[in-house]
Amino acid sequence: MKISQFVTVILSLTSGTLAKSFCDTKDHSGKSIKETSNKVGAIGDIGYELWSDSGDNSATFYSDGSFSCSFKNAKDYLCRSGLSFDSTKTHKEIGHIYADFKLVKQDIQDVDYSYIGIYGWTREPLVEYYVVDNWLSQYRPGDWVGNKKYGDFEIDGAEYTVYENTRTGPSIDGDNVTFKQYFSIRKEARDCGTIDITAHFEKWEELGLTLGKMHEAKVLGEAGSIHDGTSGTADFPYAKVYIKDAPVEEVKEESCSPKILAQGYSCCPKGCRVYETDEDGDWGYVDNEWCGCKVDYKICAKGYPCCKGDSEIYLVDEDGNWGYEDDEWCLLA
């Protein structure tokens, strides 16, 4: 029997003791890869990206999800690590998304704007989104981030300001594309903590800010300059994006003949009547289409299944030889 099932690995740190432990993390772990030019990639099941428009930059990504962002004379620099999706499911279909992070700032210079937190994209509609919990610049990102300010809201136990913006520029779907941007910007910066990403999605949707199908959800380090360029390192010795309470998709059971499936036909629903049997298997006919009858339950006549074993013959009539299995009458083939 072939079974295909969506399986989501749930990684959750919920207790105060565990939360404290990742905030005490000092070192990266696992395999690593260093990128020195713009790159979208993966290390194990961790998706990552390095992007910049100028400067001498690099980023090192680790298989445990942690990463380190280094930039020099960059006008706009961005690196991120976390979960990548295939743009076929909404966040509700994926499950409740969280992220744990720890930030260490090193040698930060000439940063005019910066976002530290969660970053990602959705499609249908195309949306670039930010949950900003910290920044490398001297000042908190302000009203300039969006052309519409929705106000201050308590989200995930803290106060955030929500903005919406419309932008035309580089995106995951091209370099000159118009798309929406959504921001949640924390009032008080923090260097370590757990971000309930879905809580922000739900607040945005409550405000009428529509999200589409998920392309990614990643921990972000971004810095930029409107002058000569920015330099420094944003190190994340701990970063992990994970899913809790993922909905389990319906299990598909395909137990009819593989030879029938190979011809492009599907398995019939449970309880199909066998109309024809050949070298390929048992054929049913449902909704004007031929299909394969499942070997574990085939209707032989008048709604009764075919016997699966070597049942004794208890009755013979015009429909055939009757047996009795699993507390039910069945017809012997």
Side-chain angles (χ1 to χ4, degrees), residues 56-324:
D56 181 12
N57 311 300
S58 66
T60 303
F61 301 96
Y62 295 80
S63 58
D64 67 347
S66 65
F67 62 111
S68 184
C69 310
S70 295
F71 43 96
K72 184 177 181 181
N73 299 325
K75 289 287 189 178
D76 191 19
Y77 171 94
L78 182 153
C79 69
R80 59 191 188 268
S81 173
L83 295 182
S84 299
F85 305 103
D86 61 4
S87 301
T88 63
K89 299 180 185 297
T90 66
H91 71 87
K92 293 178 182 177
E93 294 171 314
I94 289 172
H96 206 112
I97 308 174
Y98 297 85
D100 300 332
F101 80 98
K102 179 183 178 179
L103 167 69
V104 178
K105 305 175 184 179
Q106 300 173 356
D107 302 322
I108 305 300
Q109 301 176 31
D110 303 320
V111 177
D112 292 316
Y113 66 89
S114 170
Y115 311 116
I116 302 293
I118 301 301
Y119 177 89
W121 290 85
T122 72
R123 287 188 168 100
E124 300 178 21
L126 186 64
V127 174
E128 182 184 37
Y129 68 85
Y130 291 81
V131 178
V132 181
D133 265 36
N134 208 325
W135 40 91
L136 304 177
S137 50
Q138 182 179 359
Y139 300 106
R140 173 179 181 258
D143 292 350
W144 49 266
V145 304
N147 51 31
K148 185 173 183 179
K149 180 179 181 180
Y150 285 84
D152 299 330
F153 303 92
E154 184 173 320
I155 308 172
D156 188 21
E159 193 170 17
Y160 288 81
T161 308
V162 175
Y163 297 89
E164 177 187 4
N165 192 37
T166 301
R167 183 183 178 191
T168 299
S171 77
I172 56 172
D173 287 339
D175 291 334
N176 192 29
V177 179
T178 299
F179 54 89
K180 291 289 188 180
Q181 293 178 312
Y182 304 154
F183 291 86
S184 285
I185 300 179
R186 206 173 196 268
K187 283 292 188 73
E188 300 293 333
R190 58 175 172 172
D191 293 336
C192 186
T194 297
I195 301 174
D196 185 339
I197 301 172
T198 294
H200 291 270
F201 292 167
E202 291 173 344
K203 173 54 70 173
W204 296 341
E205 290 171 335
E206 180 184 318
L207 295 170
L209 306 182
T210 303
L211 290 161
K213 297 176 181 178
M214 295 293 296
H215 172 73
E216 63 182 328
K218 294 183 173 71
V219 177
L220 167 75
E222 181 174 358
S225 171
I226 60 174
H227 299 103
D228 296 329
T230 182
S231 300
T233 297
D235 188 43
F236 296 86
Y238 196 94
K240 187 181 294 292
V241 182
Y242 53 94
I243 298 167
K244 289 183 63 178
D245 304 323
V248 178
E249 290 187 345
E250 180 182 357
V251 177
K252 298 179 180 179
E253 297 186 1
E254 296 183 339
S255 55
C256 61
S257 167
K259 293 182 179 179
I260 291 176
L261 293 174
Q263 297 176 53
Y265 296 97
S266 61
C267 293
C268 304
K270 181 178 179 180
C272 75
R273 180 172 181 174
V274 177
Y275 285 90
E276 183 178 334
T277 299
D278 61 16
E279 67 274 9
D280 295 323
D282 296 317
W283 294 86
Y285 197 76
V286 177
D287 295 332
N288 299 318
E289 294 285 344
W290 287 102
C291 55
C293 283
K294 298 183 180 181
V295 296
D296 59 341
Y297 197 99
K298 297 178 292 186
I299 296 299
C300 285
K302 295 184 177 179
Y304 289 94
C306 301
C307 298
K308 293 178 286 185
D310 297 323
S311 175
E312 295 181 14
I313 297 174
Y314 289 95
L315 179 68
V316 177
D317 64 11
E318 67 275 11
D319 292 315
N321 301 325
W322 292 87
Y324 197 78

Side-chain angles (χ1 to χ4, degrees), residues 13-25:
L13 301 174
T14 55
S15 72
T17 301
L18 288 173
K20 185 176 185 299
S21 67
F22 79 74
C23 286
D24 290 339
T25 300

